[in-house]
Amino acid sequence: MTLDPDAQRALEIGRAAGGEPFENGSVAAARTAYIASFPTQQGDREPVAATEQRQVDGPNGPVTVRIHRGIGAPRTGARAVLYLHGGGWVIGNLDSHDDICRWLANLGNAVVVCPDYRLAPEHKFPAGLEDCAAALRFMAAGELGIGPTRIAVAGDSAGGNLAAVLALLARDGLAPPLAAQILIYPNTDARQTTDSYRRFGDGFGLTAATMAWFRDHYVQRLDDIADWRVSPLLASSLAGAPPAFVVIAGHDILADEGTAYAERLRAEGVPLVLRHWPGQIHGFVSMGRHILAARQAVSEAAAWLRLETRAQAD
């Protein structure tokens, strides 16, 4: 399958912008460059019914969360999504995926909560995961008018990793229960040995070198790579996890591990929708200014979420 023309153009725009690979500079430089890229990549930040920011109790101090109430979301018993942004556990913030959060809020008639979780290397594993769990506990407490059985977790890339892990923690009673999970090109295997690392390791946006740089900042020690909370594909069982909607980009170094995770979910009895976008690249959902499939993917996920959480309604 060849690259989608939109994806090809997005890559060309990125190359024309220049800039050093993240791994060739400092973390601060990577964050600055990533923030500067938002206006040239993101889709429209469409209006929602209401937006607010709060601080919620976290394990090591307050965690800032941004809350979007989508158009059509009820004041009580609303479906809700905890959205965990991507960025390799090292970059990204409340603005980096705000367009996606707004789309999900409106398309899902939902309340979407995005936490500004702690980033590595200042805060290594499991700090960010702990902050995400704290945000989920805040949502489950009922203060936002959320239906307690209508909460989903979602995320892309490293955020998809955190979402998958949080879904398993919820299954095990170590976090509030979840009705569904949406995993967008998730990182599920920190060993970074799948064949898609060879096929798409350079020239398709996210490179193998950058992914190794992200991981090495995230883990505290090499042994963490085999911890299922870093590599959920290595969990002993996925059975009993919440129903899943998984998005795979065909030209992505994470394609094989994301597909393997989805196949394990299905094999172990978890209801699954696996959606392949064969012509797309890693991060395409965050490139709505150039890639039409970005909003299409979110629309499909939101439609699935509406059906899934309707069945789980209080």
Side-chain angles (χ1 to χ4, degrees):
M1 179 71 185
T2 58
L3 271 175
D4 181 273
D6 286 354
Q8 182 66 55
R9 172 157 174 72
L11 289 173
E12 291 169 356
I13 291 171
R15 294 185 191 113
E20 285 291 314
F22 291 156
E23 64 272 16
N24 288 355
S26 67
V27 168
R31 290 172 181 161
T32 298
Y34 191 53
I35 290 170
S37 73
F38 299 164
T40 63
Q41 292 185 344
Q42 284 187 344
D44 293 335
R45 296 192 183 187
E46 62 188 35
V48 294
T51 298
E52 62 174 313
Q53 286 189 193
R54 295 192 188 187
Q55 290 194 322
V56 304
D57 291 335
N60 287 282
V63 179
T64 301
V65 297
R66 181 174 292 169
I67 305 161
H68 292 308
R69 185 172 297 274
I71 296 170
R75 302 302 302 180
T76 60
R79 70 174 56 86
V81 180
L82 174 64
Y83 193 89
L84 310 178
H85 70 76
W89 310 283
V90 175
I91 60 179
N93 56 29
L94 292 180
D95 292 326
S96 60
H97 294 67
D98 195 55
D99 54 343
I100 299 171
C101 292
R102 288 169 178 269
W103 292 348
L104 266 178
N106 285 337
L107 293 167
N109 308 125
V111 175
V112 175
V113 176
C114 183
D116 195 18
Y117 60 84
R118 286 172 292 165
L119 299 175
E122 298 91 340
H123 306 285
K124 290 178 175 285
F125 164 79
L129 177 63
E130 292 171 344
D131 289 349
C132 296
L136 178 58
R137 289 192 293 272
F138 163 71
M139 293 171 70
E143 185 178 347
L144 299 178
I146 292 169
T149 63
R150 306 184 76 191
I151 301 173
V153 67
D156 64 286
S157 193
N161 167 276
L162 295 168
V165 172
L166 198 54
L168 293 175
L169 291 172
R171 174 203 63 182
D172 295 339
L174 300 175
L178 290 165
Q181 56 181 318
I182 298 171
L183 310 179
I184 302 173
Y185 30 80
N187 182 306
T188 67
D189 187 352
R191 294 173 299 181
Q192 302 184 356
T193 56
T194 61
D195 190 61
S196 54
Y197 269 81
R198 177 190 60 80
R199 301 195 308 276
F200 309 113
D202 192 26
F204 296 91
L206 178 64
T207 68
T210 299
M211 197 62 236
W213 184 79
F214 282 146
R215 178 202 61 197
D216 293 347
H217 279 311
Y218 183 51
V219 299
Q220 296 191 47
R221 57 189 68 86
L222 288 178
D223 289 350
D224 288 341
I225 292 172
D227 189 317
W228 69 267
R229 296 171 300 162
V230 172
S231 298
L233 186 61
L234 304 183
S236 59
S237 173
L238 304 184
F245 186 99
V246 180
V247 174
I248 303 296
H251 290 68
D252 178 9
I253 60 174
L254 303 187
D256 287 357
E257 64 194 73
T259 301
Y261 195 76
E263 290 174 347
R264 269 200 66 190
L265 287 169
R266 178 182 285 134
E268 297 182 38
V270 176
L272 171 74
V273 172
L274 175 57
R275 183 67 168 92
H276 280 279
W277 294 84
Q280 288 303 334
I281 57 175
H282 188 84
F284 79 92
V285 176
S286 294
M287 302 176 186
R289 186 170 296 278
H290 309 294
I291 299 179
L292 182 63
R295 188 176 172 89
Q296 292 172 345
V298 176
S299 296
E300 289 190 17
W304 173 83
L305 179 67
R306 289 196 305 269
L307 290 173
E308 198 62 43
T309 53
R310 183 179 299 143
Q312 300 287 338
D314 298 323

